[in-house]
């Protein structure tokens, strides 16, 4: 909870390809040879331009340390990374009126990842906030198998499908996992109160786009939200 005092979030204008988040993605994927090199030294794909996509940069003490992209997958907007690999599973669910949050492009600065072991939590807090804002049936995770233990432990995710390949030119296989928002919300908030947020922070993060929003650094409100629900005690209590 204390490190959140140094953290800020910023929504990325996905039409601005000179945003440093695209270079951060590129450096992270090239480091493990997950994408081919390109002259622009940025990593982007067609899902950056769909209407249900959102992307964020995470900053610690003013320095960009990680980023994540989210898609709100609905019957109206059937665009997301998980759909590129698991459309046969997800289309019927969307037809029944279900909807999902689909996080992707979780990338981090190498030095920051070593310096801040909590970085995965600080980054995935955005996925937890998106679930609180959009109230989906499930939060999806198309992830490498070696990351599955983390998602099962933190979010209670369960495997829905085995290894396939995502679009966007990524070279590694993933498995599809999902966590039921209604079933895990309180349990996750009790165990990890730093995932919590106020309605004002969520509106600032996920409300309607405008140019000013892309320039705004958003302060986390986890402490206030957790105190309000009595899920976190101040130091000394």
């Amino acid at each position: 909870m204390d490190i959140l005092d140094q953290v800020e979030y910023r929504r990325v204008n996905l039409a601005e390809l000179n945003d440093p988040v695209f270079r951060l993605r590129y450096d992270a994927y090239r480091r493990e040879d997950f994408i081919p090199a390109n002259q622009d030294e940025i990593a982007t794909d067609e899902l950056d331009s769909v209407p249900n996509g959102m992307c964020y940069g995470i900053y610690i003490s003013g320095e960009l340390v990680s980023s994540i992209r989210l898609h709100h997958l609905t019957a109206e907007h059937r665009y997301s990374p998980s759909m590129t690999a698991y459309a046969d599973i997800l289309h019927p669910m969307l037809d029944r009126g279900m909807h999902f949050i689909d996080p992707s492009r979780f990338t981090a600065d190498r030095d920051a990842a070593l310096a801040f072991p909590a970085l995965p939590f600080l980054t995935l807090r955005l996925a937890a906030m998106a679930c609180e804002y959009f109230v989906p049936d499930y939060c999806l995770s198309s992830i490498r198998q070696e990351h599955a233990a983390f998602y099962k432990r933190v979010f209670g995710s369960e495997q829905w499908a085995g290894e396939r390949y995502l679009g966007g030119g990524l070279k590694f296989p993933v498995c599809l996992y999902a966590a039921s928002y209604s079933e895990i919300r309180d349990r996750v908030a009790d165990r990890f109160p730093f995932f919590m947020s106020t309605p004002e922070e969520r509106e600032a993060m996920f409300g309607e786009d405008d140019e000013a929003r892309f320039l705004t650094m958003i302060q986390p409100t986890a402490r206030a939200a957790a105190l309000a629900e009595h899920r976190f005690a101040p130091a000394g209590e």
Side-chain angles (χ1 to χ4, degrees):
M1 188 70 83
D2 289 340
I3 198 174
L4 281 176
D5 294 336
Q6 305 173 50
V7 172
E8 293 175 302
Y9 297 101
R10 180 181 62 84
R11 187 161 177 172
V12 174
N13 184 345
L14 288 167
E16 295 291 336
L17 295 183
N18 61 348
D19 192 286
V21 158
F22 294 110
R23 176 63 65 86
L24 178 70
R25 280 187 196 173
Y26 179 83
D27 290 343
Y29 287 137
R30 283 298 301 150
R31 191 162 60 240
E32 299 191 62
D33 196 30
F34 286 156
I35 61 171
N38 66 67
Q39 186 174 0
D40 296 325
E41 296 188 339
I42 62 172
T44 185
D45 61 43
E46 66 278 3
L47 290 172
D48 285 323
S49 60
V50 297
N52 60 323
M54 301 159 280
C55 184
Y56 300 87
I58 296 85
Y59 292 75
I60 296 180
S61 300
E63 296 292 327
L64 178 64
V65 293
S66 65
S67 69
I68 194 168
R69 186 176 65 185
L70 307 171
H71 287 85
H72 182 209
L73 184 59
T74 66
E76 180 182 6
H77 296 297
R78 301 184 182 220
Y79 314 106
S80 83
S82 293
M83 283 291 286
T84 67
Y86 300 101
D88 58 319
I89 296 171
L90 297 173
H91 271 309
M93 302 175 81
L94 293 169
D95 290 341
R96 296 197 298 270
M98 298 176 72
H99 62 121
F100 310 91
I101 293 297
D102 191 5
S104 64
R105 292 301 202 233
F106 176 6
T107 50
D109 175 83
R110 177 170 52 187
D111 292 339
L114 295 173
F116 302 105
L119 194 54
F121 294 94
L122 301 175
T123 307
L124 288 168
R125 179 174 177 265
L126 284 158
M129 290 174 58
C131 287
E132 192 83 347
Y133 185 83
F134 294 103
V135 195
D137 293 284
Y138 290 90
C139 184
L140 305 176
S141 301
S142 289
I143 53 176
R144 286 182 282 166
Q145 192 61 53
E146 59 263 35
H147 295 160
F150 174 88
Y151 285 82
K152 290 191 284 188
R153 176 172 59 88
V154 175
F155 298 111
S157 300
E158 298 181 352
Q159 186 169 349
W160 277 8
E163 287 190 345
R164 301 184 187 179
Y165 286 85
L166 297 174
L170 298 179
K171 298 179 180 179
F172 54 84
V174 299
C175 295
L176 179 63
Y177 282 76
S180 170
Y181 170 68
S182 63
E183 292 179 9
I184 68 168
R185 189 272 180 188
D186 287 336
R187 179 164 57 85
V188 170
D190 282 337
R191 292 185 64 200
F192 307 108
F194 49 82
F195 279 139
M196 298 184 68
S197 57
T198 62
E200 292 78 13
E201 184 185 1
R202 295 192 294 272
E203 180 61 31
M205 204 79 72
F206 306 114
E208 292 297 321
D209 291 352
D210 59 58
E211 286 302 318
R213 187 179 303 278
F214 298 130
L215 302 174
T216 302
M217 303 297 284
I218 301 168
Q219 305 263 328
T221 59
R223 192 184 303 273
L227 288 172
E229 291 193 17
H230 306 289
R231 299 180 190 271
F232 177 74
E237 292 191 9

